[in-house]
Amino acid sequence: SLGPVLRPLSLAGHVGFDSLPDQLVNKSICQGFCFNILCIGETGIGKSTLMDTLFNTNFENFESSHFEPQVKLRAQTYDLHESNVRLRLTVVNTVGFGDQMNKQESYQPVVDYIDRQFESFLQEELKIKRSLHNYHDSRVHACLYFISPSGHSLKSLDLVTMKKLDSKVNIIPVIAKADTISKSELHKFKIKIMSELVSNGVQIYQFPLDDETVAKVNTAMNGHLPFAVVGSTEEVSVGNKMVKARQYPWGVVQVENESHCDFVKLREMLICINMEDLREQTHTHHYELYRRCKLEEMGFQDTDPECKPVSLQQTYEAKRQEFLVELQKREDEMRQMFVQRVKLKESELKEDERELQSRFEQLKRLHADEKSALEEKKRLLDEDQSSFGKRRAAAQLLQAQSLTANGKKDKDRKK
Ligand SMILES: Nc1nc2c(ncn2[C@@H]2O[C@H](COP(=O)(O)OP(=O)(O)OP(=O)(O)O)[C@@H](O)[C@H]2O)c(=O)[nH]1
Ligand SMILES: *[C@@H]1O[C@H](CO)[C@@H](O)[C@H](O)[C@H]1NC(C)=O
Ligand SMILES: *[C@@H]1O[C@H](CO)[C@@H](O)[C@H](O)[C@H]1NC(C)=O
Ligand SMILES: [Mg+2]
């Protein structure tokens, strides 16, 4: 790149910035370290025993049943001290892994757990008031995948799970309970496992070769993968020493004897040599990938289609503009819908009005007919009445005449 031109200068005397590495060391010691291990393996495969053996502790162990309806993850955090170094260790165990009828779903809770830890780190990073210096980083730095010592091959669950996880976490496969498999079988089994991983495109963690002080040992150790491990917290006396071992009727398996198993190799690689690299890879590779996908999903980008850099401000403005346009579109749609609805309602009302009007006309006609019928009746009634009146008057007259006529007759008779 086109940086400033550098001019080498030699110092005339001691300045003191050669203490920078020491300052870094002192600062790190002061802050303390954190390391998070995820143990994936079927129930009873020896996860807890191996963790206890690795860290020389007695972590809380809950034996899980084989009847869990689904896989769960259980995380426990411990504060460990060695000399003046403080390590905050989180051990995450899968509970019920591979015990369900439908084993294809076993990996999903694991994937979700890893993503959740990335997400909470991202959320902390995106805050305005960040407190990353005292943030409890729960991102998984190393994933020990426990392969069952069948001596045969990997199970499809193993391949599917590792494939789902290999872009999210540093996978270190181990052959569990390696004391149950014979030496010649173990050798073939290791080769088989590695070739299956390669042919399925599963990317496991490779011990780094860029630091030349450990490049040699790391190269050699990459050739011993996957480590065949034995765990035990039981102490057995061998010679005049007490050593961690598993005792059998036919002999003793010494956990920390390299001709018995790869436990020491695992401890060296995981804790003594590459713990910092595992932490770094988690941050610079796996988290970086998660962050990138997440931000791209949210619409952020570094460059526009013409490869010009885009600032956060521009992205924000563009998003805002996009949002406003969308809002305007929605508003127009709403308005159109409203107008349409009003029109529909209006025509409905007009129709109702027409109907009412016609009903009204009909009623009016009916009423008029009734009225004229009634008037006709009244007229007839009036006619009847007047003819009745006339007839009555005639009758009365007749009666009166007949009365006078009778009176005369009586008088005549008396005379
Ligand atoms: N042969 C042999 N047995 C082991 C080894 N490690 C653990 N075991 C035994 O396996 C049994 C289960 O060990 P745990 O360490 O509890 O297994 P786990 O995977 O933590 O089991 P859950 O947490 O219940 O899923 C115990 O009886 C251990 O003694 C080993 O390396 N070889
Ligand atoms: C680092 O710590 C050691 C021991 O506490 C001390 O002697 C040394 O001066 C410190 N160095 C720096 C650069 O702070
Ligand atoms: C390791 O095991 C081998 C083979 O069993 C044995 O010869 C050797 O003495 C053991 N080493 C230690 C330190 O016990
Ligand atoms: Mg356990």
Side-chain angles (χ1 to χ4, degrees):
S1 68
L2 295 169
V5 179
L6 289 179
R7 195 149 58 100
L9 276 184
S10 53
L11 306 174
H14 182 251
V15 175
F17 61 76
D18 58 352
S19 76
L20 264 172
D22 296 330
Q23 292 177 32
L24 256 178
V25 167
N26 288 7
K27 202 169 176 170
S28 306
I29 288 175
C30 186
Q31 266 179 359
F33 297 85
C34 120
F35 192 67
N36 307 318
I37 299 185
L38 167 64
C39 295
I40 306 180
E42 50 196 64
T43 307
I45 203 168
K47 302 181 290 293
S48 306
T49 310
L50 189 74
M51 283 300 113
D52 278 340
T53 320
L54 269 177
F55 288 95
N56 254 322
T57 48
N58 230 321
F59 297 132
E60 300 154 70
N61 290 330
F62 307 93
E63 213 170 278
S64 16
S65 89
H66 283 279
F67 306 104
E68 297 285 343
Q70 66 226 7
V71 176
K72 283 184 292 196
L73 282 99
R74 185 189 289 138
Q76 265 149 338
T77 304
Y78 307 92
D79 215 3
L80 305 180
H81 290 263
E82 187 169 47
S83 322
N84 62 341
V85 177
R86 208 159 36 93
L87 180 70
R88 199 203 295 223
L89 178 75
T90 299
V91 178
V92 188
N93 268 297
T94 56
V95 177
F97 185 79
D99 280 337
Q100 294 75 35
M101 287 299 201
N102 181 3
K103 292 188 172 44
Q104 294 297 313
E105 294 301 305
S106 285
Y107 63 80
Q108 197 56 50
V110 185
V111 171
D112 293 345
Y113 177 85
I114 294 173
D115 281 346
R116 266 203 309 281
Q117 314 317 311
F118 283 150
E119 183 61 29
S120 62
F121 191 84
L122 180 63
Q123 288 306 321
E124 188 61 35
E125 262 192 343
L126 293 177
K127 275 185 188 168
I128 291 175
K129 274 191 190 167
R130 299 182 294 180
S131 49
L132 287 169
H133 58 284
N134 60 8
Y135 172 82
H136 177 214
D137 188 359
S138 57
R139 294 172 298 174
V140 177
H141 299 118
C143 162
L144 290 184
Y145 193 95
F146 289 69
I147 297 164
S148 102
S150 66
H152 191 257
S153 65
L154 286 172
K155 297 173 183 170
S156 66
L157 174 63
D158 299 332
L159 284 170
V160 169
T161 306
M162 284 194 259
K163 185 77 207 140
K164 290 281 174 191
L165 296 181
D166 69 355
S167 62
K168 296 179 181 291
V169 70
N170 299 309
I171 301 175
I172 302 175
V174 295
I175 299 169
K177 299 190 182 180
D179 53 329
T180 62
I181 188 166
S182 80
K183 198 167 177 170
S184 58
E185 277 177 337
L186 181 64
H187 183 65
K188 277 188 238 152
F189 192 34
K190 279 192 177 189
I191 293 171
K192 185 82 185 282
I193 290 171
M194 290 314 280
S195 80
E196 282 184 327
L197 289 176
V198 169
S199 62
N200 285 281
V202 177
Q203 191 66 52
I204 61 167
Y205 175 70
Q206 293 289 308
F207 301 118
L209 310 177
D210 40 10
D211 174 359
E212 58 196 34
T213 58
V214 290
K216 207 168 149 217
V217 63
N218 278 354
T219 310
M221 289 300 154
N222 279 328
H224 280 105
L225 290 172
F227 294 139
V229 295
V230 175
S232 176
T233 46
E234 195 187 332
E235 303 244 309
V236 173
S237 100
V238 171
N240 51 7
K241 271 202 310 190
M242 294 299 283
V243 296
K244 279 193 210 123
R246 299 190 75 84
Q247 208 163 6
Y248 293 104
W250 57 87
V252 172
V253 182
Q254 297 168 28
V255 171
E256 293 174 275
N257 186 326
E258 284 202 58
S259 58
H260 290 195
C261 71
D262 299 332
F263 173 80
V264 171
K265 292 190 179 77
L266 175 67
R267 188 173 59 192
E268 285 280 307
M269 288 292 102
L270 180 72
I271 302 175
C272 309
I273 300 182
N274 297 305
M275 196 180 247
E276 185 51 29
D277 185 70
L278 285 159
R279 284 157 35 89
E280 202 180 292
Q281 293 292 325
T282 302
H283 186 67
T284 58
H285 271 86
H286 302 304
Y287 172 65
E288 200 60 22
L289 182 64
Y290 177 85
R291 181 182 172 279
R292 198 181 76 202
C293 294
K294 201 71 194 195
L295 293 184
E296 277 172 357
E297 208 176 276
M298 284 160 73
F300 291 102
Q301 52 201 10
D302 293 334
T303 54
D304 65 7
E306 284 114 55
C307 292
K308 287 205 207 89
V310 179
S311 73
L312 201 68
Q313 180 79 25
Q314 285 169 312
T315 306
Y316 170 74
E317 289 295 342
K319 276 272 148 196
R320 201 177 120 82
Q321 201 52 45
E322 208 176 283
F323 173 75
L324 286 177
V325 168
E326 180 65 18
L327 199 72
Q328 187 62 45
K329 211 179 94 191
R330 285 269 196 82
E331 214 178 281
D332 288 350
E333 272 170 17
M334 291 270 267
R335 191 172 298 129
Q336 263 169 22
M337 205 149 83
F338 180 73
V339 167
Q340 227 166 8
R341 283 267 189 85
V342 166
K343 271 188 186 151
L344 194 73
K345 200 75 213 172
E346 226 170 49
S347 75
E348 269 173 22
L349 281 175
K350 280 225 174 86
E351 186 59 33
D352 282 357
E353 196 185 301
R354 260 199 299 281
E355 212 167 282
L356 272 177
Q357 186 66 34
S358 80
R359 281 268 302 282
F360 174 71
E361 297 289 346
Q362 202 184 345
L363 278 178
K364 213 163 87 176
R365 261 200 311 281
L366 221 73
H367 178 74
D369 288 353
E370 246 166 49
K371 196 174 151 192
S372 66
L374 277 176
E375 269 165 359
E376 178 62 19
K377 260 194 193 154
K378 184 168 176 267
R379 197 183 53 77
L380 288 175
L381 215 75
D382 283 350
E383 260 171 31
D384 271 3
Q385 205 178 15
S386 70
S387 74
F388 174 75
K390 274 182 204 150
R391 265 191 277 153
R392 194 173 68 170
Q396 276 172 345
L397 191 68
L398 222 72
Q399 202 177 17
Q401 280 173 351
S402 82
L403 269 180
T404 27
N406 278 350
K408 256 184 206 165
K409 262 186 220 163
D410 279 351
K411 260 183 215 166
D412 292 344
R413 233 180 284 157
K414 277 175 193 166
K415 281 175 195 168

